[in-house]
Amino acid sequence: MTDSPSAPPLLDIIHSATEPIITIDEHQRIVMFNPAAEAVFLRQADQTIGASLDILIPVRFRSVHAQHVSRFKDTGMSDRKMGLGAPLWGLRSNGEEFPMEASISQTRTETGVFLSIFLRDITERQRIDQALRASRDELTRLSNALLHVREQEKKHIVRELHDDLGQSLTALTMELAQLESNLRPDDASARDRVRAMRRVIKSTFASLRRIASDLRPVMLDDLGLAAAVEWLVANFVSRYGIDTDAEIRVGPTEPSKRVATTLFRVVQEALTNIAKHAQATKVQVRLACDETQCTLTVQDNGVGAAAESLTKKLPMSLGLQGIRERIRLLNGEVTINTRNRGGFRLDAQMPAQHPESPWEAS
Ligand SMILES: Nc1ncnc2c1ncn2[C@@H]1O[C@H](COP(=O)(O)OP(=O)(O)O)[C@@H](O)[C@H]1O
Ligand SMILES: [Mg+2]
């Protein structure tokens, strides 16, 4: 290769390169070692030139590496990535090993074949990759734990509502009956008061039951997923009067508890969204679980949402994000199809069985 008159000499370019470049001859002796290579390998060029390439490679890789390089030379190819994507290892003069990426190219001249190795120290990149992976794992564990804590908390509140407030209301009803039996038969106004109080207690009971089952229907734990989702749908229809067609097939095996809770929460959020945002007149809920897979579709014919407005809202709105997160934790997938005036459709699928973490067994 010749340099054109206006270009800087090739050696200058190699010397000022920020990436290490090493050239070896056909006996794998180092003939060129640029300053970037000096910095990475902690060696002076004048003491390295003439030495075997081996001194830059950890002992256990030397023979394999030498074979690869010589095979490459025999192919006559002009250049190639080394290591096929897996990191190669370099050896600094202080004995420290470091991961690197390298490519190799060969030049034939009348004085022989020269191989140039262009490499990059990827220690820092690997460290960042590892830190990133560790923090993603940590986040997944945290999300899992948070979801679990929320479900446990809801169970706990439901129990308190039932045991504590429920008991008090029952006691009040009995007190009231006692009071009524002691009233004079002709005391009409007092009897009216008692009747009014009984109505208040009755509606408080109804509110209590509604709040408790919104939190977590006992059905989900006692009667299983199909019954719980049917209850959700029936409740949705009676509250909002929207024509809803539900097709629910679960069995013969129940999905694992985490999967059931997730599907229940997803249907709950999707129906709440329809009531809140859709102005729909028709809703379809399809849920099918066999031994291996659960699929869910919740679809409405309402106003839908424009893609831009959805992306704008997403970082702030927790409902759809929560759905995505819950399903991701179970190795499932969600897709949302919607457009302005085009209805809203949510499709989800996930494996039906998921190993429970030890703290979920209870
Ligand atoms: N069924 C639906 N029909 C129309 N728009 C919907 C529907 N479901 C969700 N959206 C849109 O997606 C946005 C995000 O939903 P979500 O994450 O549940 O948040 P939130 O319900 O708290 O607003 C909603 O604000 C709404 O604009
Ligand atoms: Mg919502």
Side-chain angles (χ1 to χ4, degrees):
M1 198 189 295
T2 53
D3 296 331
S4 73
S6 56
L10 199 53
L11 262 182
D12 285 355
I13 296 177
I14 290 172
H15 274 260
S16 60
T18 51
E19 305 288 308
I21 303 173
I22 301 160
T23 303
I24 55 176
D25 65 12
E26 47 198 301
H27 307 293
Q28 306 205 1
R29 264 195 315 258
I30 299 167
V31 298
M32 201 281 301
F33 200 70
N34 77 345
E38 289 183 317
V40 165
F41 287 96
L42 308 176
R43 288 177 185 278
Q44 298 295 318
D46 51 7
Q47 282 150 33
T48 311
I49 286 172
S52 159
L53 180 65
D54 275 356
I55 62 164
L56 308 180
I57 300 167
V59 177
R60 62 187 185 286
F61 298 125
R62 281 179 191 166
S63 66
V64 180
H65 191 268
Q67 282 167 22
H68 281 171
V69 171
S70 106
R71 216 176 299 141
F72 171 70
K73 188 184 65 165
D74 297 340
T75 62
M77 278 165 67
S78 65
D79 63 304
R80 175 162 97 185
K81 236 178 125 82
M82 297 171 79
L84 293 172
L88 300 163
W89 290 89
L91 179 65
R92 301 191 220 275
S93 68
N94 63 3
E96 191 190 352
E97 296 184 8
F98 64 95
M100 61 185 198
E101 264 176 9
S103 58
I104 186 167
S105 80
Q106 66 176 296
T107 326
R108 287 171 189 272
T109 69
E110 54 276 23
T111 50
V113 179
F114 293 94
L115 300 174
S116 293
I117 298 163
F118 303 81
L119 57 92
R120 180 174 297 161
D121 179 346
I122 56 169
T123 310
E124 187 59 9
R125 202 179 75 199
Q126 278 205 337
R127 199 187 55 74
I128 292 171
D129 277 358
Q130 254 161 23
L132 207 63
R133 212 167 310 132
S135 103
R136 205 180 307 133
D137 288 352
E138 182 104 334
L139 270 179
T140 302
R141 270 199 302 280
L142 189 66
S143 293
N144 262 323
L146 277 178
L147 282 177
H148 173 70
V149 167
R150 276 179 59 190
E151 290 296 332
Q152 289 298 94
E153 222 163 49
K154 285 178 179 176
K155 262 192 205 172
H156 176 72
I157 297 173
V158 168
R159 215 171 296 140
E160 289 283 295
L161 282 176
H162 176 266
D163 294 354
D164 207 75
L165 293 187
Q167 300 286 3
S168 307
L169 285 177
T170 312
L172 259 183
T173 317
M174 281 152 73
E175 289 287 334
L176 214 53
Q178 193 79 77
L179 184 70
E180 195 176 23
S181 68
N182 290 338
L183 286 178
R184 283 203 323 272
D186 58 345
D187 194 344
S189 103
R191 282 182 188 277
D192 280 351
R193 278 238 164 91
V194 167
R195 256 196 299 277
M197 283 165 89
R198 203 177 267 130
R199 274 198 300 277
V200 174
I201 294 177
K202 200 172 160 199
S203 83
T204 310
F205 251 129
S207 303
L208 193 72
R209 260 199 303 274
R210 184 175 48 75
I211 295 168
S213 40
D214 276 357
L215 279 170
R216 185 180 173 91
V218 213
M219 270 177 262
L220 187 54
D221 298 316
D222 294 351
L223 298 181
L225 178 63
V229 170
E230 267 156 22
W231 172 84
L232 261 187
V233 171
N235 202 35
F236 171 76
V237 173
S238 79
R239 264 190 222 179
Y240 305 107
I242 303 175
D243 179 10
T244 303
D245 171 33
E247 198 182 300
I248 296 159
R249 276 179 290 125
V250 176
T253 22
E254 270 288 305
S256 67
K257 241 202 175 106
R258 270 191 75 177
V259 175
T261 304
T262 294
L263 285 163
F264 179 83
R265 293 286 175 222
V266 173
V267 176
Q268 190 175 38
E269 177 62 29
L271 292 178
T272 307
N273 275 349
I274 293 174
K276 247 167 57 177
H277 310 293
Q279 299 167 37
T281 55
K282 192 123 194 51
V283 174
Q284 278 191 341
V285 178
R286 305 240 172 293
L287 170 65
C289 281
D290 59 21
E291 304 91 277
T292 55
Q293 188 82 4
C294 288
T295 56
L296 169 73
T297 302
V298 182
Q299 185 174 13
D300 69 65
N301 67 348
V303 295
E308 320 84 73
S309 82
L310 208 56
T311 11
K312 222 181 292 157
K313 276 186 190 162
L314 260 190
M316 300 300 295
S317 59
L318 291 175
L320 295 177
Q321 292 257 73
I323 288 181
R324 286 217 170 92
E325 181 64 7
R326 279 176 180 277
I327 294 178
R328 189 183 67 80
L329 291 173
L330 298 177
N331 303 320
E333 282 172 24
V334 201
T335 41
I336 285 168
N337 272 304
T338 181
R339 56 198 156 75
N340 201 10
R341 320 240 138 263
F344 198 98
R345 176 179 172 140
L346 181 146
D347 288 281
Q349 54 176 343
M350 70 203 75
Q353 301 305 325
H354 191 273
E356 314 275 325
S357 313
W359 37 258
E360 279 170 318
S362 63

